[in-house]
Amino acid sequence: MKIHNFNAGPSILPKEVVKKSAQSVINFNDTGLSVLEISHRSMDFLEIIEKTTFLIKRMMGLNEDYAVLFLQGGATLQFSMIPYNLMYKKAAYLDTGFWAYNAIKEAKKFGVVKVLFSGKNINYTSIEKDYHIPCNMDYFHCTSNNTIVGTQMKIFPKTSTPIVCDMSSDIFSRKLDFCQFSLIYASAQKNIGSAGMTIVIIKKEILGKNKKNIPSYMDYKIHIQNNSILNTPNVFSIYTSMLTLEWIENQGGLFVLEKKNQHKAKLLYNEIDKNSLFENKIHEENRSNMNVSFFLKNKDLEKEFNKIWKKENIVGLDGHRYLGGYRASIYNALPLESVQFLIEIMKEFERKFS
Ligand code: PMP
C-alpha cells in the first residue's frame, strides 16, 4: 500500500536507507552482529563515523578548519551549548519562528541577546533582509528554515561576525556556500538519519576564546578531542545518517536535490495559489522549499478535507499544533509523485466544494 508521508519530523527517509538499515539491524556487514550490537569503540563504528564525517565535509566543501560532531540532546541542547561556548558578552539573533525564539530564550541565560529582527507581530510570515549586525557581537544566530510556519532564509548576511545557523530542517536540501558559516547545527530526523543525533559543524578557530569552565558534555573542544565518542553516541542514528548521505550522493548531490526540491515546492505553491479553497500566508520570497504551510479559507470545510486525505493514505498533513491548518513537509526523500498526488486531491476537493 502506497503511503504519502508528509510528516514534519521524524519524517520520510529514502526507501534504500530504510531497507539497508533493516538488513544491518539483523546482520551488519556480514559480521553476524546487529548494528545495534557493535561497540562504539570498535573499528566497525570508527569507520562509520569517519565515513560520515568525510561525506559531510565533501558535500559541503569544508576543509580541515572545520570539525564535525555527532551529539545528543537535539537542537534544543545546542540552544544552550552555543552561548555556553561562544558568548562572552553579547550575541545577535534573528527571531524568525518558534525554534529561533527558543534559541533566544536559552541564550539570554548566558549574556545579552540583541534581537535584530522579530517576526512575532506578523506571525512569522516573512523574514527581514535589511538588518544591521553591530560589530561588537560574539556571533550572529539564525535559523535557515522555520519548520513550523514554513519560511526559509534564501540569503545570509555578509559579515565578519561568526554566523551560527540552525539548519535542522533544511540541511542537505540545497547548495550553499557553507564556508560562510562558523557553526552549523542540525538535529535528526528530516534530511539526515534516524532521530537521536545532532550534527554540529564548527570552524575550530572560533573555540577556546571563552575561558569559562564548561561542563564536559557541553564543551565542543572536548567532543572534538574525543572524536564524538566522549560518551556512548547514538550508533544507529549515525549509521543511518551515513546511509542517507550516500543516498544523497547517488542522487547526484546537493545541486540536483535542490532543483528537485524547488520543483516540488513550486508545483505545490502554484496549486495553493490557484485553488480557490486554500491559501498560504507566507511572503512569497520567504516560502520554504521544505515545509509548505496552507490553510482552508473556510474552516468549516476542514472536516471534509481531513476525511478525504486521510482516506487516500496521506499522512502527516496536519499543521503544527500551535498553528493549525496544514503543513506538507516535502524533504529530500519525499518523491515528486507524493506532491503530485496531494495536488490531485486538492484539485478534486475544489471541484467538489468550491
Ligand atoms: N530547530 C528547528 C529548525 C527544528 O525544526 C526543530 C525541531 N525539529 C528544533 C530546532 C528542535 O529540535 P530537537 O527536537 O531535536 O531538539
Side-chain angles (χ1 to χ4, degrees):
M1 180 178 49
K2 174 84 185 153
I3 293 183
H4 301 278
N5 183 356
F6 290 93
N7 273 321
S11 50
I12 186 164
L13 276 168
K15 273 202 167 37
E16 296 87 330
V17 171
V18 174
K19 211 166 154 195
K20 182 91 196 277
S21 317
Q23 282 162 357
S24 299
V25 166
I26 307 290
N27 182 4
F28 170 67
N29 277 358
D30 284 329
T31 55
L33 294 175
S34 163
V35 69
L36 304 176
E37 297 173 318
I38 60 172
S39 162
H40 64 289
R41 301 198 184 272
S42 65
M43 266 321 284
D44 282 329
F45 181 65
L46 291 183
E47 276 173 20
I48 292 173
I49 225 168
E50 264 171 28
K51 177 110 195 258
T52 314
T53 305
F54 171 77
L55 289 172
I56 289 173
K57 282 191 163 181
R58 182 163 72 184
M59 209 171 275
M60 293 182 141
L62 300 174
N63 62 17
E64 61 287 351
D65 295 344
Y66 286 83
V68 178
L69 299 175
F70 304 97
L71 306 180
Q72 293 169 73
T76 302
L77 182 65
Q78 294 310 307
F79 296 163
S80 358
M81 217 161 147
I82 288 159
Y84 216 151
N85 283 263
L86 303 181
M87 200 195 271
Y88 319 106
K89 284 199 176 106
K90 289 184 194 168
Y93 276 68
L94 292 188
D95 175 16
T96 54
F98 177 82
W99 298 112
Y101 182 80
N102 276 3
I104 291 168
K105 204 171 74 190
E106 294 305 315
K108 280 183 177 166
K109 297 173 185 170
F110 294 87
V112 177
V113 173
K114 188 161 176 51
V115 177
L116 305 182
F117 160 74
S118 174
K120 203 163 185 212
N121 294 336
I122 48 165
N123 297 322
Y124 296 117
T125 48
S126 73
I127 301 173
E128 177 63 58
K129 274 189 305 199
D130 298 321
Y131 47 84
H132 168 69
I133 304 173
C135 61
N136 59 346
M137 293 291 132
D138 297 324
Y139 61 88
F140 161 77
H141 180 282
C142 57
T143 311
S144 55
N145 187 74
N146 298 281
T147 327
I148 294 178
V149 74
T151 58
Q152 190 171 31
M153 287 177 79
K154 309 289 172 169
I155 49 167
F156 296 87
K158 300 259 170 287
T159 174
S160 54
T161 305
I163 303 180
V164 172
C165 187
D166 177 357
M167 290 194 190
S168 293
S169 50
D170 67 351
I171 196 164
F172 306 132
S173 71
R174 58 178 168 168
K175 205 153 174 58
L176 290 174
D177 170 16
F178 294 101
C179 298
Q180 67 187 304
F181 303 100
S182 294
L183 192 150
I184 294 167
Y185 63 105
S187 78
Q189 176 265 330
K190 296 169 199 320
N191 282 330
I192 37 182
S194 54
M197 189 255 328
T198 306
I199 294 178
V200 181
I201 300 158
I202 311 174
K203 196 168 194 183
K204 288 178 275 186
E205 66 176 29
I206 64 167
L207 298 174
K209 296 175 189 159
N210 197 334
K211 297 294 174 223
K212 271 185 247 161
N213 194 8
I214 304 175
S216 301
Y217 196 87
M218 299 288 282
D219 192 336
Y220 291 125
K221 279 201 304 323
I222 292 187
H223 286 292
I224 293 173
Q225 283 157 12
N226 285 278
N227 193 24
S228 294
I229 48 172
L230 170 71
N231 67 326
T232 316
N234 189 326
V235 171
F236 186 66
S237 181
I238 298 170
Y239 175 67
T240 54
S241 297
M242 183 192 81
L243 297 181
T244 308
L245 290 160
E246 286 174 344
W247 176 84
I248 292 174
E249 288 212 333
N250 290 338
Q251 296 294 302
L254 296 187
F255 187 68
V256 172
L257 280 179
E258 178 175 2
K259 295 290 155 219
K260 287 185 179 173
N261 289 330
Q262 282 170 348
H263 180 56
K264 287 186 290 183
K266 195 162 184 249
L267 289 180
L268 190 47
Y269 284 119
N270 279 350
E271 177 56 28
I272 295 165
D273 292 342
K274 261 193 348 226
N275 192 308
S276 58
L277 300 182
F278 295 99
E279 62 178 335
N280 166 271
K281 298 180 180 173
I282 305 303
H283 194 279
E284 214 167 315
E285 49 174 41
N286 297 123
R287 285 174 163 186
S288 166
N289 287 340
M290 294 282 100
N291 310 98
V292 178
S293 60
F294 56 101
F295 296 83
L296 272 165
K297 290 179 189 161
N298 176 1
K299 264 184 109 161
D300 293 342
L301 289 177
E302 266 183 11
K303 240 185 168 161
E304 284 304 325
F305 185 56
N306 292 349
K307 219 162 57 193
I308 290 171
W309 63 262
K310 285 181 183 171
K311 200 176 109 251
E312 295 291 346
N313 294 330
I314 289 176
V315 298
L317 203 61
D318 292 304
H320 190 274
R321 62 190 187 282
Y322 290 149
L323 213 65
Y326 301 96
R327 173 177 51 171
S329 294
I330 52 174
Y331 300 121
N332 286 345
L334 185 91
L336 174 64
E337 302 80 75
S338 288
V339 172
Q340 288 166 332
F341 186 75
L342 174 60
I343 290 172
E344 280 316 306
I345 297 289
M346 292 165 82
K347 280 191 198 307
E348 181 64 33
F349 190 66
E350 186 189 28
R351 278 194 286 273
K352 258 189 168 163
F353 288 94
S354 70

